Amino acid sequence: MNKTRLEAFSDGVLAIIITIMVLEMKVPHGVDLEALRPLLPVFSSYVLSFLYVGIYWNNHHHMLHVAHRVTGGVLWANLHLLFWLSLFPFVTGWMGENHFDALPTALYGVVLLMAATAYWILAQSIIRADGSHSLLGRAIGRDFKGALSVILYAVAIPLAFFHQAAAQAFYLGVALMWLVPDQRIERVLKGEKGE
Amino acid sequence: MNKTRLEAFSDGVLAIIITIMVLEMKVPHGVDLEALRPLLPVFSSYVLSFLYVGIYWNNHHHMLHVAHRVTGGVLWANLHLLFWLSLFPFVTGWMGENHFDALPTALYGVVLLMAATAYWILAQSIIRADGSHSLLGRAIGRDFKGALSVILYAVAIPLAFFHQAAAQAFYLGVALMWLVPDQRIERVLKGEKGE
Amino acid sequence: MNKTRLEAFSDGVLAIIITIMVLEMKVPHGVDLEALRPLLPVFSSYVLSFLYVGIYWNNHHHMLHVAHRVTGGVLWANLHLLFWLSLFPFVTGWMGENHFDALPTALYGVVLLMAATAYWILAQSIIRADGSHSLLGRAIGRDFKGALSVILYAVAIPLAFFHQAAAQAFYLGVALMWLVPDQRIERVLKGEKGE
Amino acid sequence: MNKTRLEAFSDGVLAIIITIMVLEMKVPHGVDLEALRPLLPVFSSYVLSFLYVGIYWNNHHHMLHVAHRVTGGVLWANLHLLFWLSLFPFVTGWMGENHFDALPTALYGVVLLMAATAYWILAQSIIRADGSHSLLGRAIGRDFKGALSVILYAVAIPLAFFHQAAAQAFYLGVALMWLVPDQRIERVLKGEKGE
């Protein structure tokens, strides 16, 4: 099976998601700072989502790099991840246009949670295809960062109904935690070469 | 002729189709569950179409994998398939926004039928280019699943005017039938290696 | 210079152009045939433009296939072609929504004319980079089909102000003339192998 | 790390940016020249932005061509550049629809300035990854053109509040200055081969 085409298709979808999110920032009719002010929350939710899609692209890039076999299961696990990521423009727009109101903030968290789960499923299906002694199997091991993200999203979602800013802080915190690319994979890759 | 570029262009078009369909889910103005409710049919028709585009990408990926020659005829058969798939965002939006009304449901089926026919034409044109003793020629053989899909669509289209939910069930059923990637090709590929 | 990346970028832009044109077919609010009727001219102008973008992709594919050197001049000639093609969604939408009225039909022809000219410039800049004895230089030679297209567009544009259907027939006629991929290049390629 | 996929993703994002900008040119309802007139400033700002995205793609293409190592830092510097470029459709639309008014013109300059800065950061992070004696390190050296662009943008932004046409002239001037692809890199590449 052809890994290149899986990467190319995923790159295409991620590139489109990251770019059409900006279309939610509707061009205002006024020409002064007042006209821009209502766009501020839309803009900041765009920045947050751009960060998240960037992180997913980055980690996807790393993970596929060490995958050896692409089975039918991997193809569908990948499409499942892309499905949840494709909802980013919608939830980003809804959250931004409503100034980070309770339900939109919670729904944003739900999509983050589902995308993280889908990423975990994809990792597992690659490990299953490659064998648990594979590079990825050893690199991921007990996926501490992944598990922590899921817990933090799960806390942030109900929190969004009581304190939106706190939920936002959770979302931003998880993003910052992931900004560093997955060093576990790089470390194992280096170990591989060193052996 | 360059197979890579045909795949890259198809991947691009399919990636865009699958992603712009989500733009039909317009960001609502309200912030409560009431505001989301009218989006439910749009969302479920989005899920169905995402599944279908995923299936087409998946099978297209498998089919091109075993194709050897890309002739002018194959290029145009491929564009013809992409044309019908490009109508997915339109029919998905129309069906979703009208809560699966009769005519939109039927038209959705017409586009499914035309896409299935275009896929069949593409398969035939690849077989013609590669020879009927080619890998694909032997793998497809009597295309049972493809023929069954066409029959089911042809039943579902008139059915949509009497019982929309039943027509929907047909569409979903065909999708589930195809969710398994084309094992005939994988089987023949394995046999190839075993010889 | 990297031919692959020029092809990838062009494929991306053409894939997006061909797909976003469908967004000009706005989902109607009604659910009967009456609701679809105003979309008929939009749909038929979409079909025409899909055909044209398909032809450009097809011929671009053939032309780049035989190009050897990609200079700065070729990069910009290619971007220039993509610029005119990027105006297709706009002129397609304007012509379709206005039922092939005079000025929109003429403007559509102007964009066709400019794209054809840009394609000719691109061919010349590739020949200049590769040398006139290059494969493309010999294949294109006196570009009869290209020159005829430009003449037909140039006749159709003023004609659009007097008889829109006739102008449309010219546009469709040129498209049909190009549907056959550029056999001159295939012929020379075969001759090359035969030598 | 995989340079190909970084290029593919960047190509995808740039291809989408350059193409969706055209969606800001809304299809007018009228069918005469009067109906097109309000689109003229939108069209000319589209041309300017198309030129800029073309320049960035061109130079990005050249720069990545000589890069050897793609580190995590390079990936994020690249995403940072794509972020600022993704704001082009928004500022292009705002400036065009408001006939080059003061604040939209200034904001367009701010995005140009940030994109130029992000490009500089990307160049530095590639040089850091490859070593300052690398091809790019020697080619860029004291980046005269880059520094001059930043200065011209910095002058044009405040100027936009007093004389919009002058600020526009600055933006156009910088674009024309960059139209020539980065000959420093081509020169060093040739020297490389000559050694």
Side-chain angles (χ1 to χ4, degrees):
Chain A
M1 272 307 112
N2 195 342
K3 196 171 79 170
T4 317
R5 216 183 146 181
L6 180 72
E7 291 182 326
F9 183 70
S10 307
D11 279 353
V13 172
L14 291 173
I16 298 157
I17 291 171
I18 217 170
T19 322
I20 65 174
M21 283 191 307
V22 89
L23 295 179
E24 295 296 336
M25 287 209 302
K26 309 274 187 256
V27 170
H29 290 298
V31 293
D32 47 11
L33 279 173
E34 270 320 296
L36 283 183
R37 194 173 298 167
L39 286 174
L40 257 185
V42 184
F43 180 69
S44 54
S45 69
Y46 173 62
V47 173
L48 183 64
S49 294
F50 192 97
L51 219 57
Y52 264 111
V53 179
I55 289 164
Y56 272 103
W57 177 72
N58 220 321
N59 287 341
H60 191 267
H61 178 128
H62 277 77
M63 187 159 70
L64 265 291
H65 192 64
V66 294
H68 290 123
R69 291 189 61 219
V70 174
T71 60
V74 172
L75 289 182
W76 280 106
N78 191 58
L79 275 168
H80 178 238
L81 171 61
L82 295 180
F83 174 76
W84 290 107
L85 295 178
S86 81
L87 297 179
F88 266 58
F90 177 78
V91 291
T92 303
W94 201 37
M95 186 170 74
E97 281 178 29
N98 293 291
H99 299 247
F100 304 99
D101 211 79
L103 187 61
T105 302
L107 193 71
Y108 190 87
V110 170
V111 170
L112 285 180
L113 180 63
M114 294 310 294
T117 309
Y119 188 79
W120 181 82
I121 293 173
L122 175 59
Q124 295 307 316
S125 70
I126 292 176
I127 291 174
R128 209 174 314 124
D130 281 1
S132 63
H133 293 289
S134 68
L135 214 52
L136 190 66
R138 280 180 295 148
I140 296 273
R142 282 169 43 232
D143 185 359
F144 177 70
K145 247 166 142 185
L148 183 59
S149 307
V150 167
I151 292 170
L152 292 176
Y153 296 145
V155 171
I157 293 167
L159 192 60
F161 293 100
F162 302 101
H163 199 301
Q164 288 84 47
Q168 297 293 334
F170 271 72
Y171 301 155
L172 186 61
V174 175
L176 295 178
M177 179 177 95
W178 279 104
L179 262 187
V180 184
D182 211 320
Q183 303 218 320
R184 290 166 303 172
I185 293 177
E186 290 195 20
R187 210 178 308 127
V188 172
L189 266 172
K190 273 182 197 149
E192 195 78 338
K193 285 178 191 157
E195 280 167 9
Chain B
M1 271 306 115
N2 195 344
K3 194 171 80 170
T4 316
R5 216 183 146 182
L6 180 72
E7 292 182 324
F9 183 70
S10 307
D11 278 352
V13 172
L14 290 174
I16 299 157
I17 290 171
I18 216 169
T19 321
I20 64 173
M21 282 190 309
V22 88
L23 294 178
E24 295 296 336
M25 287 210 301
K26 309 275 187 252
V27 170
H29 289 297
V31 292
D32 47 12
L33 279 174
E34 270 321 295
L36 284 184
R37 194 173 298 166
L39 286 173
L40 258 186
V42 184
F43 180 70
S44 54
S45 69
Y46 173 60
V47 173
L48 183 63
S49 295
F50 191 97
L51 220 55
Y52 264 111
V53 179
I55 288 163
Y56 272 103
W57 177 73
N58 220 321
N59 287 342
H60 190 267
H61 178 127
H62 276 77
M63 187 158 70
L64 265 291
H65 192 64
V66 294
H68 289 123
R69 290 189 61 219
V70 175
T71 59
V74 172
L75 289 182
W76 279 106
N78 192 58
L79 275 167
H80 178 238
L81 171 61
L82 295 179
F83 173 76
W84 290 107
L85 295 178
S86 81
L87 297 179
F88 266 57
F90 176 78
V91 290
T92 304
W94 200 37
M95 186 171 74
E97 281 177 29
N98 293 292
H99 300 246
F100 304 98
D101 212 80
L103 187 62
T105 301
L107 193 69
Y108 190 87
V110 170
V111 170
L112 285 179
L113 181 63
M114 296 309 294
T117 310
Y119 188 80
W120 181 82
I121 294 173
L122 175 59
Q124 295 308 315
S125 70
I126 292 177
I127 291 173
R128 209 175 313 124
D130 280 2
S132 62
H133 292 290
S134 67
L135 214 51
L136 189 68
R138 280 179 294 147
I140 296 274
R142 282 169 42 234
D143 184 0
F144 177 70
K145 247 166 140 185
L148 182 60
S149 307
V150 166
I151 293 171
L152 292 176
Y153 296 145
V155 172
I157 293 167
L159 191 60
F161 292 100
F162 303 100
H163 199 299
Q164 288 85 47
Q168 297 294 334
F170 271 72
Y171 300 156
L172 186 60
V174 175
L176 295 178
M177 179 178 93
W178 279 104
L179 262 188
V180 184
D182 211 319
Q183 304 218 319
R184 291 165 303 173
I185 293 177
E186 291 195 21
R187 209 178 310 128
V188 173
L189 266 172
K190 272 180 198 150
E192 195 77 339
K193 284 176 190 157
E195 280 166 11
Chain C
M1 269 307 114
N2 195 343
K3 195 171 79 169
T4 317
R5 216 182 146 182
L6 180 72
E7 291 181 326
F9 183 71
S10 307
D11 278 352
V13 171
L14 290 173
I16 299 158
I17 290 171
I18 217 170
T19 320
I20 64 175
M21 281 190 310
V22 89
L23 294 178
E24 295 296 336
M25 286 209 302
K26 309 275 187 253
V27 170
H29 290 297
V31 293
D32 48 10
L33 279 174
E34 269 323 294
L36 283 184
R37 194 173 298 165
L39 286 174
L40 258 186
V42 184
F43 180 70
S44 54
S45 68
Y46 173 61
V47 173
L48 183 63
S49 295
F50 191 98
L51 220 56
Y52 264 111
V53 178
I55 288 163
Y56 272 104
W57 177 72
N58 221 321
N59 287 342
H60 191 266
H61 178 129
H62 277 76
M63 187 159 70
L64 265 291
H65 192 66
V66 295
H68 290 123
R69 291 189 61 218
V70 174
T71 60
V74 171
L75 288 182
W76 279 106
N78 191 59
L79 275 167
H80 178 238
L81 171 61
L82 294 179
F83 174 77
W84 290 106
L85 296 178
S86 81
L87 297 179
F88 266 58
F90 176 79
V91 290
T92 303
W94 200 38
M95 186 170 75
E97 281 178 28
N98 293 292
H99 300 245
F100 305 98
D101 211 81
L103 187 62
T105 301
L107 193 70
Y108 189 87
V110 169
V111 169
L112 285 180
L113 181 63
M114 294 309 294
T117 311
Y119 188 80
W120 181 82
I121 293 174
L122 175 59
Q124 296 307 316
S125 70
I126 292 176
I127 292 174
R128 210 174 312 123
D130 281 0
S132 62
H133 292 288
S134 67
L135 215 50
L136 189 68
R138 279 179 297 149
I140 296 274
R142 281 169 44 233
D143 184 0
F144 176 69
K145 246 165 143 185
L148 182 59
S149 307
V150 167
I151 292 169
L152 292 175
Y153 297 145
V155 172
I157 294 167
L159 192 61
F161 293 100
F162 303 100
H163 201 299
Q164 288 84 47
Q168 297 293 333
F170 271 73
Y171 300 156
L172 187 60
V174 175
L176 294 178
M177 178 178 93
W178 279 104
L179 263 187
V180 185
D182 210 319
Q183 304 218 318
R184 291 165 302 173
I185 293 178
E186 289 193 23
R187 211 177 310 129
V188 172
L189 266 172
K190 273 181 197 149
E192 195 78 341
K193 285 176 191 157
E195 280 168 9
Chain D
M1 272 306 115
N2 195 343
K3 195 170 80 171
T4 316
R5 214 180 149 184
L6 179 72
E7 291 182 325
F9 183 71
S10 308
D11 278 352
V13 172
L14 291 173
I16 299 158
I17 291 171
I18 216 170
T19 321
I20 64 174
M21 282 191 307
V22 88
L23 295 179
E24 296 295 335
M25 286 209 303
K26 309 273 187 255
V27 170
H29 290 296
V31 293
D32 48 10
L33 279 175
E34 270 321 295
L36 283 184
R37 193 173 298 166
L39 285 173
L40 257 186
V42 184
F43 180 71
S44 55
S45 69
Y46 173 62
V47 173
L48 183 64
S49 295
F50 192 97
L51 219 56
Y52 264 111
V53 178
I55 288 164
Y56 272 103
W57 177 72
N58 221 322
N59 286 342
H60 190 268
H61 178 129
H62 276 76
M63 187 159 69
L64 264 291
H65 192 66
V66 294
H68 290 123
R69 293 190 59 219
V70 174
T71 61
V74 172
L75 288 182
W76 279 106
N78 192 59
L79 275 168
H80 178 238
L81 171 61
L82 295 179
F83 173 77
W84 290 106
L85 296 178
S86 81
L87 297 179
F88 266 57
F90 176 79
V91 291
T92 304
W94 200 37
M95 186 170 75
E97 282 178 27
N98 293 292
H99 300 245
F100 305 98
D101 211 79
L103 186 63
T105 301
L107 193 70
Y108 190 87
V110 169
V111 169
L112 285 180
L113 181 63
M114 295 309 295
T117 310
Y119 189 80
W120 180 83
I121 293 174
L122 176 58
Q124 295 307 316
S125 70
I126 292 176
I127 291 174
R128 210 175 313 122
D130 281 2
S132 63
H133 292 289
S134 68
L135 214 51
L136 189 68
R138 279 180 295 148
I140 295 276
R142 281 168 44 231
D143 183 1
F144 177 70
K145 248 166 141 185
L148 182 61
S149 306
V150 167
I151 293 170
L152 292 176
Y153 296 145
V155 171
I157 294 167
L159 191 62
F161 294 100
F162 302 101
H163 200 299
Q164 288 84 48
Q168 297 293 334
F170 272 73
Y171 300 156
L172 187 61
V174 174
L176 295 178
M177 178 178 94
W178 280 104
L179 262 187
V180 184
D182 211 318
Q183 304 218 318
R184 289 165 303 172
I185 292 177
E186 290 194 19
R187 209 177 309 127
V188 173
L189 267 173
K190 273 181 198 151
E192 196 78 338
K193 285 178 191 156
E195 280 167 9

